[in-house]
Each structure stands twice: as C-alpha cells, then as structure tokens.
Amino acid sequence: MMAEKKKTTTKKTDAKKEAPAKQVAKKQASPAATQQKPSIGVFICHCGTNIAGSMDIPAVQEYAKTLPNVGYVDNYKYMCSMPGQAVINKAIKDNKLTGVVVAACSPRLHEPTFRTATKEGGLNPFRFEMANIREQNSWVHMHDHDGSTEKAKDAVRIAVAKAALLQDLFPKTVPVERAAMVVGAGVAGMQAALDLAAAGIKTYLIESTPSIGGRMSQLDKTFPTLDCSQCILTPKMVDVGRAELIDLMTYSEVDAVEGYIGNFDVTIRKKARGVLSMAEAETKGIVGGGCNGCGDCEAPCPVIKPNEFEVGMKPRKAIYINHPQVVPLLYTIDFNACIKCGLCVTACGEKKAIDLEAKDEFVTVKVGTVILATGFDIFPIEKKEEWGYKRFENVITSLEFERLICASGPTGGYPVRPSDGERPKKIAFVLCAGSRDNTGVGKPYCSRFCCMYSLKHAHQIIEKIPGCLPIIFYMDIRSFGKMYEEFYYRIQDEGTRFIRGRVANILEDPKTKNLHVFADDTLLNRPVDVEVDLVVLAAAVQPMADTDRTRKLFGVSCTGDGWLQEAHPKLNPCGTTTAGVFLAGVCQGPKDVPDTVASAEGAASAASIPIHKGEVELEPYFATCIEERCAGCGMCVNLCPYTALALVEKDGRTVMEVTEAKCKGCGTCGGFCPGGAIWMNHFATPQIVAQIDAFLLGGGE
Amino acid sequence: MADEFKPKILGIVCNWCSYAGADLAGGGRIQYPPDVRVIRVMCTGRIDALFVLKAFADGADGVLVSGCHFGDCHYLAGNFKGAKRMFMVKRLMKSIGLDDRRFRMTFVSASEGAKWGAVITDVVKTINELGPSPIKEFNK
C-alpha cells in the first residue's frame, strides 16, 4: 500500500516491486548484480574547455577502454546537451550496455539529467554513476595537467567499478499531505502564506512573537518609492488574519519535526499567552467572551516593561499589545514580568479572557512542505566600541531612528535627541556599521539595504526638519535596484552631504552631548572632524538568534555567518538540501523588501508544486536486511535516527525489518552492522569496497 | 622503486556537507594538490570502520573521512556515530603501529570551499612527510 506505484508502467517494475528485500538477498548471494556480464559505457565530457582545458581527454578515453567491464567509450563537448544525451541513449541501445558512467561535473549538479538519459536509453536510471572530473578535478587542479589527467583516470576506474555492481532500483512514490507550513510571519512569511492559500493549500503560519508583520511593520517609509510601510503592509496583515485557509499561530514556535517531504509531522509549542481569543473562549463555553482588544486590562496593570517593537523607546505593560495595528488583535501576558496581581482579570470582567494560570500547549500538524522565513535581527553594534553605541546617549541605530521618524512611533514622527529631547540640526549617518568588516568584530558581508534606507532617512529629515543637515559617511553607495540610483541622485540634489570614508571614531562632548565624528575623507584625502547632534548607525543585520535551532530541526545547512543555505544559489535559490523545505526572505541572506517578497513568492510556488502534484518520488536508498546474515542483535535499531528499524520474529528467528517509508537512507545502520547484514541500496558494502579496491588495486599505472 | 613518491590517498565524504563543500571549492577555483580520490556516501554514518581498514590493507598511504559539523548532520546525528567509529579506528591504528596521522576525520560544511582546499593541502602535506605506507611492503 505504501509502495503504490503509478509512474513506472513497465511490467518489469511490477515484477520487481513485490519483495525488494528478498531480491537483494538473492543478488547478494551472487555478487555479480546482473545475470548478464556487466558492460559499462563511459562517456567523457569536455564541458567546453572547463574540463578539456585542464586535462588530456583522449588519454582518459584510451585508458577507460582498457578497464574491465567497459563495453563502450566516447567523449563529447557538452555531454549534458541534447546531442550529448543522444550519444548516451544510442550507445546503450547499440552496445547493449548494462550501466553508464559519465565523467563530467558534480553528481550534485547533473546526476538527475544523466539518470534521465540512462532511462531513455532503456536502462534503469539507477544503473548510472558519475565521475566528478570538473568541480573536484579540472577546476581545482587547473595548472597540473598530468595530475588532473591521472586523477580523472582513477575517477573513471572507481566509477566503472561501482557501475558494474549497480542494481535496478525503483523510487517509492508517497502521497503528499495537502497542507503547508510557513515559519515566520514577516512580510516574506505572510506573502508565502497568502500565495499558498490563494493556490488552495491549507497553510499553517507560525510566528514566535504575539503579532505578525515582522521587521517591515516597524518601518516608516520604504525606499525608493517612499510608500508608507504600514499602508502597504497592514492590508496584507489583515488578509492573513482573514484568509480561511491560513491557520495563524502567533506566539508559537516549532518544537519538533519528524517525517519527510510530503509527510512532515511538525509539533508546535503555543506559548502560554494568558489571554483567550474569542474563538478559544467559545470552545471553552464562555459565551460572548474572549479578548476583543478593548485594552481595559492594560490600564490597571502595575508592571512596566520596555516595548520591543519600539526598540525599548516606549513602555508597555505586562499585559500588552505592541502597537495598535497588531494582527491578531489579542493581548498577551508577559509571564516573565507578570506579578499575578489579578487587576487585569477584574478589569476584563465578564469577557473572562484572561487566564493567569495558562500553560504552554503543544499541537502536532501534518504538512507536505515547509517554508522557513525566520528573518533577521540587528547586529549588536555596541561591540564596535569606537562608535559609542550604548555609551553615548545620542548615538542610535537606524531601527531606532526608523521608530523615531515613524508617525506611530514614540515621538509621533518627529525625531528628537535622546539626551535632551531637542530637535537635531545636524545628523550623521554612519554606513557599513558592522557590515563589510573584516576585523572579526563585525560581519564580512554587505547588509545590502542600509545604503538605501539611509538615503531615505536623509530625505525624510530634509522633509520633516527644515534646516537640518544630514551627513552620510559611506564607503560605497550600493544603489543597485530598480530606480535606486535615480533615488540616490535625488537625495544628492536635495542637499544631503556625502563624505566618503569609514568613521574611525566618535567622541562625545560631555557638556552639550554633541558628537564629534572622525573619519578620513578619502575623496579630499584629509581627515575630518564633524560635530553633529545625533549619530545614526546603519547597523549590520544577522540571522535571528533562534534561526539556528529552527534550521537544525528541519535539517537545513547554513553558511559560516548563520544565513540559511539554499540548494543552489542560481538554479534552486528557494530550495534547500532537505526535500520539501524551502527558504523565503532574509533568513537566507540580506534582502530588501522587493527581493524578499519575490523570494517568498518563489518559495510559495516551489512549495506548492509537490502538493499540487499529489505525490513525490523518494530516492530509493533504503536499507534492507539480508535476513540469512542477520543475527538479530538489534544494534542497528538503536542507531537509526528515524525509528525505521525494528526486530521481528521470522521463521523462528529474530531479524531486523525496515519500514521503508521511514528510512531516509543515511546508512548509519549499514556502517555499523557487525554481520554485514544490511544492504544499503546504491551504497551497498560490496559497491563501496569495489570502489576502494578499484582505486588502490585496480591498475593505475 | 619509483623515483618520486606519489601518495595514494582515499577520501570518503558525505554527500550533504563535505562533498558539497568540495564542489564549492571547485566553483571557487580553489587550487589544491590532486592526490586525494573521493568516494561519496550519503552520510559519514555509512562509513564502516572496515572501509578505512580495507583501504589501508590495500596499500593506501592515507585516508580522509569528512562530514558535516556536529549538529549539522543531514540525518540528525549520523556524523556523531560515524566519528565514534573513526576515533576507534585511530586508536586501533596506534595499537598496531600504523601512524594514526595517516588517517584523519574532518568536518567541512557545504559553505566551506576554502576550508576543503586547506584540508586537502594539509592532508597531502602530512602524507608526503610520512612517506609510503609500510603496509605496501606486505602487498608486494
């Protein structure tokens, strides 16, 4: 029932699918995996000059002809091209080949291509092996012609040895759950969820904070169009709250993940919120109760805490909403701060929305695909001590400035100096604050959107504070997007001063609390000391702190800086190496809003494909038990990370049995089994040993 | 005897981290010596201690096993389980008098192309210093 096969229609398939374990065991007994003597075709790719430029391809070809089991050898300029694949196709048919070796690029790039070609030639696609002579040879030994030629010969020999022992394998087709999950409800997550829902897919949208909206909801205007961020975001937030197919879970985190593409079981921890929504109240039998966002509870609450949304520049109570536009409009109790005095419960009265004894709840949902959109945080710029953030009152970050210039912010949209509340007359913007920093303190990468939002800030100052002079200290202005460079010219014309030079140091005048910004003006080639009222640091961005935990739950890799790693930066920018898990937005690397939304739409499209298809093929790299060799010791059962293995009684003996749907093919069991009783499809012990022997014993001179 | 020692070094690496890292080194055109031959497995957890010993028995001058960083395994913890076995191999090598510097386990992620280049360069340098494997004598 699980091995339901619709795709492959040949009779061969049906004959072989019944009992793979037994079949393998039989093959194991007679090590030559085929009844027929192996006859392998070797196809060497020039890849233009990528490969041919660094090695002697005719020599490799002549060498391949001398190898055992080789029935045909050919080369072609571009093996992956249509004519190249036709060469393979024809050779299989003409020479009755039993296996194919292509010596070309990495199997991580073109294995699927050549498997298809092998299949079109009439062979099982898994009778294909690739010798990587580009990424791991010609490109890394560009000036060692002889060395790379020898290495290519060895690589072909190793691949042929494995190809001779390869077997027919049949991917298992599994159904895909018609639901998706999006982790993180910033603009990326919201867009992805809206797209998925619009495509008719039930979508769980998980957000760790009490409201959706993310970073974009903290912004005032967006460059270069100067759209009001809230004006374009709030309708989306409302749509998310209203969409029938979106199950919004705010103040919730992913706790555990099990399963695989098509069938992820994700456990969500709903953090104790202490406040019931109207729907929750109804299920608990409180008629007409639940939080309606009236805010009566907030006034009597005696606990005052800094408001995270306002970057700590405004107070909130222990029972709070962060700003008036929150979605869902639902209060939250900060149980780390709450003293459980009960005044809010009294104020809430008949609505009975508040439960001071609330506990975390866990729910498990089944989804077919997942999109991670966990966003970014601001680099703790106080680590760059020379700029005095947190030492000098009038040094602030751009995100703080964004709140100060936002009409809904703590100052009603008119920025003031934190030290005295005066209106600033001269403001310095320090770009690349912690970005493009190779000192080891900051981040080596460009944070990508700081140039543009600082230009926007300069514009807003000129607009809002007549007579105020913005001064931008920059290394380069990176205005790469559509209409960005034009925006840069406009800001230059408006009277903003630009000084090209990284700020070396900032000192405070203790009396006036003004700041002296020291830099080298690299255009005038002289040091400058500029006195300003306010300094705004365009701090670098970094992944959210809990991104690392989340990515490990889903088995997604990251770069050295912690950004999540895509499967391929150009060919699969939204996918990851875990099938069924996709990336959207800044969690993958710094992006501005247009790029974030574009990537979210890409991820939503990619994540909807398996769901609309209804089924996926899993690579058939399962473990199988060679029962006559199994002693039933059970060591493998404990090693399996997916509980795919179990001991069962068969014919009076205890042997191991594999649940194929759970097995992901890592081979950890096969690497340990003391009796050699586990056959890992496509990475079987005899196949690997044949590769080792081929390298070390098989000719080579 | 050959006039110049050309070490035979086997690399067994996992598909998700180190093989991808090695591909990235290729994309970045990071140059390193061509003496290591790489066999790809899905996870370092797949690597039987006997594969390493078989390579040495066949006369390998060195063996390199490379996988994901701890906590980064595509299969949760296969690299832990593999590493445990590999450390056992190192102890075994010591006790039979085979220099355990001939065998190395490293951790190279999919984003560490430059590190892969550095690892290979260093492995080849070490094996060149150690010279041919003494086991080769028995195989003659």
Side-chain angles (χ1 to χ4, degrees), chain A residues 160-204:
Chain A
V160 167
K162 180 165 180 184
L165 296 180
L166 287 175
Q167 303 169 299
D168 290 355
L169 294 175
F170 301 94
K172 184 191 285 296
T173 306
V174 293
V176 176
E177 183 71 24
R178 206 182 159 76
M181 174 172 288
V182 179
V183 183
V187 67
M190 291 181 349
Q191 183 66 48
L194 285 169
D195 283 9
L196 287 167
I201 296 165
K202 166 92 180 171
T203 305
Y204 298 92

Side-chain angles (χ1 to χ4, degrees), chain A residues 106 108 154 551 639 693, chain B residues 15 23 32 37 58 72 81:
Chain A
S106 170
R108 292 176 59 88
D154 284 357
R551 78 169 178 89
L639 282 172
D693 286 349
Chain B
N15 177 57
D23 279 353
Y32 55 80
R37 307 289 182 262
D58 283 356
D72 256 1
K81 292 159 191 166

Side-chain angles (χ1 to χ4, degrees), chain A residues 219-254:
Chain A
L219 309 183
D220 179 42
K221 299 279 190 296
T222 55
F223 60 81
T225 50
L226 300 175
D227 283 315
C228 159
S229 181
Q230 287 280 10
C231 310
I232 54 178
L233 190 70
T234 317
K236 270 199 199 300
M237 291 166 66
V238 173
D239 286 350
V240 168
R242 213 185 267 152
E244 263 180 41
L245 282 173
I246 297 180
D247 191 338
L248 178 59
M249 299 188 194
T250 52
Y251 212 47
S252 301
E253 288 172 352
V254 176

Side-chain angles (χ1 to χ4, degrees), chain A residues 377-389 395-398 428-439 441-448 450-451 453-454 473-476 501-503 506 535-542:
Chain A
D377 207 347
I378 304 296
F379 170 71
I381 196 64
E382 61 272 22
K383 285 192 185 168
K384 295 292 287 182
E385 291 172 4
E386 60 267 37
W387 296 326
Y389 182 64
V395 176
I396 63 174
T397 66
S398 295
F429 292 90
V430 177
L431 302 196
C432 296
S435 308
R436 302 174 71 195
D437 180 327
N438 289 320
T439 60
V441 182
K443 304 290 179 184
Y445 49 81
C446 166
S447 293
R448 249 175 138 234
C450 330
C451 285
Y453 70 58
S454 295
F473 289 87
Y474 69 103
M475 289 172 36
D476 305 284
R502 173 165 240 165
V503 172
I506 294 172
V535 169
V536 181
L537 301 175
V541 296
Q542 63 182 24

Side-chain angles (χ1 to χ4, degrees), chain A residues 159-373:
Chain A
V160 167
K162 180 165 180 184
L165 296 180
L166 287 175
Q167 303 169 299
D168 290 355
L169 294 175
F170 301 94
K172 184 191 285 296
T173 306
V174 293
V176 176
E177 183 71 24
R178 206 182 159 76
M181 174 172 288
V182 179
V183 183
V187 67
M190 291 181 349
Q191 183 66 48
L194 285 169
D195 283 9
L196 287 167
I201 296 165
K202 166 92 180 171
T203 305
Y204 298 92
L205 180 58
I206 314 299
E207 167 60 39
S208 66
T209 66
S211 170
I212 62 173
R215 290 286 168 210
M216 191 178 164
S217 64
Q218 288 177 289
L219 309 183
D220 179 42
K221 299 279 190 296
T222 55
F223 60 81
T225 50
L226 300 175
D227 283 315
C228 159
S229 181
Q230 287 280 10
C231 310
I232 54 178
L233 190 70
T234 317
K236 270 199 199 300
M237 291 166 66
V238 173
D239 286 350
V240 168
R242 213 185 267 152
E244 263 180 41
L245 282 173
I246 297 180
D247 191 338
L248 178 59
M249 299 188 194
T250 52
Y251 212 47
S252 301
E253 288 172 352
V254 176
D255 191 68
V257 181
E258 271 184 32
Y260 47 91
I261 179 170
N263 300 276
F264 289 107
D265 289 306
V266 186
T267 306
I268 312 293
R269 184 164 68 96
K270 295 177 119 178
K271 294 185 271 189
R273 187 168 206 148
V275 178
L276 298 176
S277 71
M278 291 203 235
E280 283 167 336
E282 208 172 298
T283 58
K284 293 203 171 183
I286 307 165
V287 181
C291 181
N292 62 5
C294 66
D296 289 349
C297 53
E298 198 175 346
C301 178
V303 183
I304 294 176
K305 283 277 162 188
N307 185 336
E308 303 86 352
F309 184 81
E310 304 287 358
V311 208
M313 294 185 296
K314 213 176 176 179
R316 66 159 169 84
K317 297 294 185 67
I319 185 162
Y320 66 101
I321 54 171
N322 271 330
H323 59 100
Q325 285 112 324
V326 293
V327 173
L329 180 53
L330 185 59
Y331 274 75
T332 303
I333 297 177
D334 174 359
F335 278 107
N336 289 325
C338 175
I339 54 169
K340 300 200 177 181
C341 62
L343 290 172
C344 54
V345 181
T346 318
C348 190
E350 283 308 297
K351 292 188 289 290
K352 291 187 182 160
I354 298 173
D355 174 11
L356 291 178
E357 302 306 320
K359 293 269 176 302
D360 290 3
E361 284 172 30
F362 294 87
V363 287
T364 301
V365 296
K366 198 175 183 79
V367 294
T369 52
V370 176
I371 294 174
L372 300 182

